Amino acid sequence: MNYIGDKQYWDEKFLSRGDKILSPEGSLVENIKYLKNGSLLDVACGDGRNSIFLLEKGFKVTGIDFSSRALERLKNFAVRKNLKVSVKQVDLTKQDALKDLGVFDNIVINHYRLSLDNIKNLGKHMAEGGILFVCGFGHKHKVDSKIKEEDLIKPEDFESLHSSFELVRYIENEDDRGFFVIYIFKKKV
Ligand SMILES: C[S@@+](CC[C@H](N)C(=O)[O-])C[C@H]1O[C@@H](n2cnc3c(N)ncnc32)[C@H](O)[C@@H]1O
């Protein structure tokens, strides 16, 4: 399952975007104090509004996405700001898509619903005491032609993490864009 659209959809979307980077996700900015200093994997990073913000805050960021256009844009934004980012083109519909990426102090998943197979593997890529930040359309969001039922983040998505992670914070937000959830997990030491 691809999130909202296939690679062509996202490549075209990023190609038609202006030259300015978007602002980072508000809930990430608000909750940055929960993140651990060090390395960070930005999953489905897009053109990097969050990656750039996190690089500026001193994190060592790796961004992954299946859109080559998005990753090109992220690299260009980073060069312009004299920041060093690592990017890798990864199709997250693949089982074990995170294989070979290494271990991180933080993993951020913003506006992407990761498959259960890949969620199950997150622990392997997270350092002890590391933080997993997930934000996106939640289970009570109204589905439409664009955001479908299978795109919604559900509490049971994280069942496989219960033995190795603790939930540090859970937030529900509702505004005119819809119903959002934010999960912050910490890997048990
Ligand atoms: C709503 S955007 C979120 C981008 C970024 N996380 C942000 O908050 O701005 C969803 C992202 O998921 C990526 N994506 C969708 N399906 C994917 C897949 N199967 N594998 C990897 N990336 C995917 C898209 O290219 C896009 O960048």
Side-chain angles (χ1 to χ4, degrees), residues 142-158:
K142 245 175 91 194
V143 294
D144 55 28
S145 57
K146 214 170 145 224
I147 314 288
K148 303 190 193 67
E149 181 65 34
E150 68 253 34
D151 296 325
L152 304 183
I153 296 168
K154 307 194 170 74
E156 54 272 27
D157 288 3
F158 305 106

Side-chain angles (χ1 to χ4, degrees), residues 24-153:
E25 183 72 31
S27 60
L28 180 64
V29 177
E30 279 160 30
N31 290 292
I32 192 167
K33 62 173 185 279
Y34 289 98
L35 300 185
K36 195 176 173 231
N37 285 342
S39 58
L40 185 147
L41 178 67
D42 188 357
V43 175
C45 58
D47 58 0
R49 61 188 179 118
N50 297 320
S51 292
I52 294 289
F53 164 72
L54 292 160
L55 283 162
E56 285 174 330
K57 293 288 174 194
F59 293 93
K60 188 169 171 268
V61 177
T62 299
I64 57 170
D65 202 285
F66 72 170
S67 165
S68 39
R69 297 280 179 202
L71 296 176
E72 271 311 307
R73 282 172 59 86
L74 167 52
K75 280 193 285 182
N76 289 338
F77 288 134
V79 167
R80 265 190 235 165
K81 287 177 177 268
N82 221 4
L83 297 164
K84 227 176 124 206
V85 67
S86 293
V87 298
K88 192 167 176 200
Q89 192 175 13
V90 171
D91 182 353
L92 293 162
T93 59
K94 300 252 155 69
Q95 254 191 20
D96 219 0
L98 308 178
K99 195 167 101 33
D100 303 330
L101 287 172
V103 175
F104 298 86
D105 295 307
N106 306 276
I107 299 179
V108 167
I109 312 173
N110 192 60
H111 286 284
Y112 181 83
R113 185 175 182 222
L114 195 60
S115 69
L116 298 185
D117 282 329
N118 283 312
I119 290 179
K120 199 167 63 191
N121 285 329
L122 285 176
K124 287 194 228 161
H125 299 281
M126 183 71 91
E128 285 188 355
I131 297 294
L132 168 64
F133 174 96
V134 181
C135 166
F137 292 119
H139 51 287
K140 287 187 240 163
H141 182 77
K142 245 175 91 194
V143 294
D144 55 28
S145 57
K146 214 170 145 224
I147 314 288
K148 303 190 193 67
E149 181 65 34
E150 68 253 34
D151 296 325
L152 304 183
I153 296 168

